[in-house]
Amino acid sequence: MAPAGIPASSTVTLHINGEKYTLPVDHRTTLLDALRERLDLTGTKKGCDQGQCGACTVLVDGRRTVSCLQFAVAAEGRDITTIEGIADERLTGGLHPVQQAFVELDGYQCGYCTPGQICSAVAVLEEHAAGWPSAVTEDVRPEAGPPPLTPEEIRERMSGNLCRCGAYVSIVRAVAQAAAQPADGVKEQVA
């Protein structure tokens, strides 16, 4: 309970998948709970609820965020993309290249972690294209540019997302295939 005189709830406006939602929330409400329980956007899954499994990953201003650790009030006015907003009707079949690659290469098993894996993979490709190094990047100098997107790079960059079904081999192949596809005019260098 909030101390006397300090409000315990606020009305927030969340920009999700290109739509604007205004709702009152308790300050302790996570972004994950606001998405699933208040806005019925149930594509984002609740896994460990401790930020360790990545099942609840969404994009906030284009960056990966485990939504179970983000308060909804802290997302006020920011652009949020959930798995429901990843697909792009401009692309073949309406699926994002990452989604298409997951389908083609069986990058999912039970599907519970898949929404978070796909959101992370989309951000991974953008981070890589922007030249962000990972923990396994050999040459981290900015002038070196993006490193080859090797399976090792993909595994490291996706390491925040767990798959209890063990579909990691297919997920790495799917991310590599998606990286080879032009998305939003960006073509990745795949090793």
Side-chain angles (χ1 to χ4, degrees):
M1 184 168 181
I6 297 178
S9 64
S10 298
T11 298
V12 297
T13 299
L14 303 176
H15 300 270
I16 306 168
N17 303 328
E19 301 287 330
K20 188 162 76 172
Y21 300 86
T22 300
L23 66 156
V25 293
D26 183 297
H27 289 172
R28 298 167 293 183
T29 302
T30 65
L31 178 57
L32 173 63
D33 288 338
L35 291 170
R36 290 186 54 82
E37 297 174 14
R38 303 290 306 282
L39 301 174
D40 207 26
L41 293 168
T42 57
T44 303
K45 303 301 184 215
K46 182 179 274 190
C48 67
D49 210 19
Q50 298 177 352
Q52 297 178 1
C53 75
C56 65
T57 302
V58 298
L59 305 178
V60 176
D61 292 337
R63 294 198 174 175
R64 295 181 274 174
T65 300
V66 282
S67 60
C68 71
L69 296 182
Q70 168 91 55
F71 288 122
V73 293
E76 165 86 33
R78 300 174 76 185
D79 287 324
I80 300 161
T81 304
T82 67
I83 191 65
E84 291 93 343
I86 291 289
D88 189 337
E89 293 300 323
R90 297 170 301 159
L91 303 173
T92 304
L95 295 177
H96 187 280
V98 171
Q99 292 174 307
Q100 187 64 43
F102 268 64
V103 170
E104 291 175 4
L105 300 172
D106 205 16
Y108 54 89
Q109 295 291 316
C110 76
Y112 200 80
C113 72
T114 303
Q117 297 269 2
I118 289 174
C119 285
S120 282
V122 168
V124 159
L125 297 181
E126 291 176 7
E127 292 163 5
H128 178 261
W132 292 17
S134 79
V136 298
T137 301
E138 290 183 21
D139 189 349
V140 296
R141 294 173 303 130
E143 60 270 18
L149 197 53
T150 63
E152 183 181 22
E153 279 280 349
I154 294 170
R155 281 192 293 274
E156 172 58 26
R157 292 171 187 264
M158 293 291 295
S159 64
N161 291 79
L162 303 178
C163 171
R164 290 182 177 85
C165 299
Y168 295 116
V169 173
S170 298
I171 290 169
V172 169
R173 289 181 24 223
V175 173
Q177 177 175 302
Q181 301 289 320
D184 299 318
V186 176
K187 184 171 176 88
E188 295 282 325
Q189 178 184 1
V190 179

